[in-house]
Amino acid sequence: MKIALTGGGTLGHVIPALTVMEKIREEDKDADFLFIGSTKEKEKSAVLSHGIRFYPVSSGKLRRYFSFENLTDIFRIMRGFFQARKILKKERPDVLFSKGGFVSVPVVAAAHTLGIRCITHESDMTLGLANRINAKFSEYVCLGFDTGVYKDSRYIFTGNPVRKELTGIKRIKGERKLILVLGGSQGAVEINRLIYDSLDEILPLADVYHQAGIHGDFSVKREGYTQVEFIGDELPSLFSRATLCISRAGAGAVSELGGAGVPMFLIPLGRGASRGDQIDNAAYAEALGKAWVLKEGSSFISQLSDILTDDERLLKMEASPWPMDGDRSAAAIAALIMNKEKK
């Protein structure tokens, strides 16, 4: 079976697609994969590290507001469509699995014109613009959260696939509490600033391990404080030891942390910076008792101190159930791709 994967814009689209790929490989060792993605080097490297073919295509950002760049991006999207069509016509995959992101739209559209089965996955609580377009051309739309909003039988709740190494995490307690800070693969300037400005208050309470991304200030050095641009193979160990994780509320991060039982202090991107998906994701995790969300206008350090010193609350957040195991999610999506299960 030959399977094409697409998605990109951030590693948050690429890594779940590769997780599903690994699940399919467990079932079919002879499955042949290719990935059609963006021109970003970090995404390309992540794909190539899994030993599959990578094809970059032109893409344009899908904005929900007026911008003159929308005009030039239309031509980039059209170019990406013809590039993707040429690749797909040459490779002739049996199915295309899209993880969303702006790069996926021309690829899904091209696959549809060639009669290739398409399956799309949406990580967030609601479909983004790219996936609302992709859904029109897809046999199934897999949903990361069971919201009950989408009634069409094509929409199937699968949960969000989580890397195998982050499932079945055994939680351990160290001599000192540990705060893990995640800002996504790109880092988060606002979170970085909050951490830098609050280290004097935080470090007496806990050690800090900070993924600062490309925007980090690596001149900041303190005892008990570790700062890196990107966390790699050490992430499972950090998940097992972290007393609390400060993070944005991207669906991937929320699903990984929720499934691993890591209490979350979430700082979602506001509606001015996104369509509001992170606000919805954060509210969902908070309603399940897995997270605390930074309240607008409230003191960051005051809320953080309250949570970090409340051991009973932390234990409850850790023990609260998460609705879908990430490995089962990957298996459910893999079954649909392989046409083994139709609901």
Side-chain angles (χ1 to χ4, degrees):
M1 186 177 194
K2 183 181 284 191
I3 301 164
L5 308 171
T6 190
T10 70
L11 284 176
H13 295 108
V14 174
I15 290 174
L18 296 174
T19 299
V20 172
M21 179 203 70
E22 294 291 357
K23 181 56 67 173
I24 293 172
R25 277 179 167 170
E26 291 177 13
E27 296 284 325
D28 182 359
K29 290 182 170 54
D30 295 323
D32 185 20
F33 292 92
L34 61 134
F35 199 109
I36 304 175
S38 77
T39 56
K40 292 185 177 180
E41 192 59 38
K42 192 172 283 188
E43 295 175 26
K44 177 181 177 182
S45 297
V47 172
L48 292 178
S49 70
H50 283 71
I52 63 175
R53 301 184 298 286
F54 181 84
Y55 296 96
V57 296
S58 175
S59 60
K61 188 174 181 181
L62 299 172
R63 300 173 182 84
R64 292 169 295 278
Y65 54 87
F66 175 77
S67 169
F68 285 111
E69 287 184 89
N70 289 339
L71 301 176
T72 57
D73 279 1
I74 288 174
F75 294 101
R76 294 191 183 98
I77 293 169
M78 290 174 61
R79 184 182 178 202
F81 169 84
F82 288 109
Q83 288 174 328
R85 199 175 191 279
K86 183 177 179 181
I87 295 162
L88 292 167
K89 197 170 183 179
K90 170 192 169 187
E91 291 277 1
R92 276 291 170 183
D94 299 291
V95 59
L96 171 71
F97 174 61
S98 168
K99 196 52 207 68
F102 53 81
V103 73
S104 69
V105 174
V107 184
V108 171
H112 178 71
T113 66
L114 293 169
I116 297 169
R117 289 177 62 223
C118 296
I119 294 174
T120 288
H121 182 272
E122 173 58 63
S123 296
D124 291 306
M125 292 283 289
T126 58
L127 266 65
L129 178 56
N131 275 343
R132 291 206 301 273
I133 297 170
N134 291 344
K136 299 179 187 299
F137 307 118
S138 297
E139 180 182 10
Y140 294 111
V141 180
C142 304
L143 303 174
F145 294 100
D146 189 11
T147 63
V149 172
Y150 303 102
K151 305 299 184 183
D152 190 314
S153 61
R154 294 186 305 119
Y155 292 79
I156 299 173
F157 168 57
T158 60
N160 285 317
V162 171
R163 289 169 280 179
K164 194 167 186 178
E165 61 267 28
L166 296 179
T167 60
I169 295 285
K170 291 183 179 180
R171 302 274 295 148
I172 59 175
K173 287 180 169 50
E175 293 182 8
R176 269 174 59 81
K177 290 179 177 178
L178 173 67
I179 298 173
L180 175 62
V181 184
L182 302 175
S185 60
Q186 304 299 311
V189 174
E190 179 192 5
I191 291 178
N192 288 353
R193 187 180 67 251
L194 287 171
I195 296 300
Y196 297 145
D197 291 347
S198 306
L199 282 175
D200 285 343
E201 291 87 357
I202 296 173
L203 288 173
L205 301 173
D207 291 338
V208 177
Y209 198 103
H210 182 188
Q211 177 182 277
I214 58 175
H215 303 295
D217 179 0
F218 295 95
S219 67
V220 178
K221 299 182 186 299
R222 300 286 297 276
E223 186 177 350
Y225 174 66
T226 302
Q227 183 178 196
V228 297
E229 181 177 325
F230 186 73
I231 296 174
D233 294 341
E234 66 272 32
L235 191 58
S237 174
L238 290 167
F239 269 30
S240 71
R241 295 186 290 117
T243 308
L244 182 72
C245 180
I246 299 171
S247 176
R248 286 296 192 201
V254 169
S255 296
E256 289 176 347
L257 292 163
V262 183
M264 295 174 261
F265 184 27
L266 299 175
I267 307 174
L269 278 171
R271 296 191 188 277
S274 74
R275 70 176 195 273
D277 50 298
Q278 291 204 9
I279 294 173
D280 296 335
N281 297 341
Y284 178 85
E286 188 172 43
L288 288 175
K290 302 295 289 184
W292 182 266
V293 181
L294 180 64
K295 303 300 184 286
E296 190 173 347
S298 299
S299 164
F300 165 73
I301 191 60
S302 175
Q303 290 188 61
L304 177 61
S305 297
D306 287 346
I307 298 166
L308 205 58
T309 55
D310 190 338
D311 291 335
E312 184 177 349
R313 179 191 286 181
L314 288 168
L315 285 172
K316 285 182 179 179
M317 291 167 77
E318 183 175 332
S320 296
W322 190 252
M324 177 62 101
D325 173 80
D327 190 56
R328 285 194 296 122
S329 297
I333 297 167
L336 290 171
I337 292 171
M338 299 172 77
N339 217 16
K340 286 189 172 182
E341 179 182 351
K342 290 189 178 182
K343 299 184 180 180

